[in-house]
Amino acid sequence: MCANKRILYRFVLNRIFKANKPDVMKDGFAVYMQRATQELFFTNKLNYLLVCVPLAIISNGGGWGDGLTFTFSLIAICPLAERLGFITEQLAGYTNSTIGGLLNASFGNATEMIVSMYALKAGLLRVVQLSLLGSILSNMLLVLGCAFLFGGMSRKEQYFNAEGVMMNFGLLLLAVMGLSLPAVLHFTHTELHGTASELALSRFSSTILLLIYLAFLYFQLVTHTHLYEDEEDDDDDDEELVLGFWDSIVWLGVFTVFIAILSDYLVATIEGASASWDFSVAFISVILLPIVGNAAEHASAVMFAMNNKMDISLGVAVGSSTQIALLVIPFCVIVGWFMNKPMDLNLQMFETATLFTTVITVAFVCQDGRSNWLKGLVLILAYILLSASFFFHKDPALIGRQAASSVREWNEEF
């Protein structure tokens, strides 16, 4: 019996991990530590922004004000999220392609997930909805637009696998359906049991979307991997590993903890920052949070496009949007259910309309499998148009919450 268990254990390990694991310590422990430290903290110029991590902690503890604490926290999350992605890729290098893809999919939007959990805990349900909506809009319009624009400056046309991308858009349209039906139910006043019907429909739809996401992962990582591979360059799979397996896990935990701390600061100070900057919470949530928080991911998509690796660039932009729509948003609804928070999929009519028009517009732009600078410019201008609309948009739910918060603070002072 013990021998059979050992055989089964060895079989499972061989299926999960690569047979020929690289030896990162072949030159000695001291050389390994120097190389790992150099790669983690000093090879990327974005890491200079890590100085904002202690500044955010000091600002929060020293009472520098919500505006400064929010600013430092938002800027500091950018390099932390980029390093989290780097460590995830290092960890994935020790596994087979399926497990590696699953790791990248799981931690690809870890920052958004952590921020959303803290906002849920604080009862900022509207901020959760708007920040995740903003991530989808920025990825599909701003990131993809910049990739098409800068990639098309040196080439007349670029090509990508339209079949795999359109599969993503089919799933995105399904997600739009799930996100729009509660809003339509609300604004047509056809709920069977009032807001309870919206909440029940949202939880049921979220369960369906999560099941679809699991099916999509199996489709992407197992049965139809050829649709999501960049055939032009196979050398990326052989990228040198500089971190050990267990070191990668430790650093993954360390960076996740710091992102969690800064996410707590972000959630606690977003309303104060809104008042000090004279920007609406809706504009900060939909526009500023996604742009700054995902700046590293955005830059990588543009760099891939400039190197003519359009399939990878599309995977960053459209793939990330698909993951947020099918995984992160439904997951927040389910977690809110267990936390007894009425988190639903009713984004309100204005936000639902922006999401629907964005998905349709980008789907038409990408349907032929070709990109050029004009398509990129169209998407960027569309994002600027949406940004302006959110700048002038008044969100009743957030205005009511801010008014109640102001009254509570006034009562506490006097």
Side-chain angles (χ1 to χ4, degrees), residues 171 174 203-219 325-328 330-331 334:
L171 294 170
L174 175 64
R203 289 167 177 173
F204 177 78
S205 300
S206 297
T207 305
I208 297 299
L209 292 178
L210 286 174
L211 291 175
I212 290 295
Y213 179 72
L214 293 177
F216 174 60
L217 278 183
Y218 185 76
F219 178 88
L326 292 179
L327 173 65
V328 182
F331 182 77
I334 300 300

Side-chain angles (χ1 to χ4, degrees), residues 66-300:
D66 287 350
L68 278 177
T69 302
F70 183 86
T71 303
F72 287 139
S73 300
L74 187 60
I75 295 174
I77 276 184
C78 179
L80 287 175
E82 191 275 334
R83 290 292 85 185
L84 192 70
F86 167 76
I87 295 168
T88 303
E89 291 177 358
Q90 291 287 304
L91 187 61
Y94 291 91
T95 65
N96 60 37
S97 59
T98 301
I99 300 299
L102 188 60
L103 281 171
N104 283 309
S106 301
F107 286 95
N109 293 104
T111 304
E112 289 91 340
M113 190 82 79
I114 294 171
V115 173
S116 298
M117 291 302 102
Y118 276 95
L120 267 178
K121 183 181 177 182
L124 296 173
L125 308 184
R126 192 64 180 146
V127 172
V128 176
Q129 292 177 330
L130 293 177
S131 62
L132 295 178
L133 170 67
S135 293
I136 296 175
L137 299 181
S138 66
N139 276 315
M140 297 191 69
L141 293 176
L142 181 62
V143 179
L144 195 58
C146 288
F148 283 0
L149 177 64
F150 290 102
M153 284 183 174
S154 58
R155 297 172 181 85
K156 191 172 183 179
E157 276 192 331
Q158 292 178 290
Y159 302 91
F160 52 88
N161 190 336
E163 186 178 356
V165 172
M166 295 311 295
M167 182 63 65
N168 282 73
F169 281 112
L171 294 170
L172 277 170
L173 285 172
L174 175 64
V176 169
M177 180 187 296
L179 293 170
S180 62
L181 289 178
V184 173
L185 192 68
H186 175 78
F187 284 96
T188 55
H189 304 290
T190 56
E191 309 98 318
L192 189 61
H193 303 292
T195 56
S197 296
E198 297 173 29
L199 195 57
L201 176 60
S202 297
R203 289 167 177 173
F204 177 78
S205 300
S206 297
T207 305
I208 297 299
L209 292 178
L210 286 174
L211 291 175
I212 290 295
Y213 179 72
L214 293 177
F216 174 60
L217 278 183
Y218 185 76
F219 178 88
Q220 183 182 29
L221 301 176
V222 180
T223 63
H224 288 71
T225 55
H226 63 283
L227 296 179
Y228 301 93
E229 292 175 349
D230 185 17
E231 297 179 357
E232 295 182 9
D233 189 5
D234 297 327
D235 295 334
D236 291 338
D237 297 334
D238 300 325
E239 185 178 350
E240 182 184 1
L241 297 177
V242 295
L243 294 179
F245 177 78
W246 292 109
D247 289 337
S248 298
I249 293 178
V250 170
W251 281 114
L252 201 65
V254 170
F255 279 88
T256 301
V257 167
F258 276 108
I259 289 175
I261 293 172
L262 296 174
S263 298
D264 191 20
Y265 295 166
L266 279 178
V267 170
T269 58
I270 187 171
E271 292 175 332
S274 170
S276 63
W277 293 352
D278 199 24
F279 286 164
S280 67
V281 175
F283 181 78
I284 293 175
S285 301
V286 177
I287 305 301
L288 296 185
L289 269 177
I291 289 179
V292 180
N294 297 326
E297 187 179 43
H298 298 178
S300 67

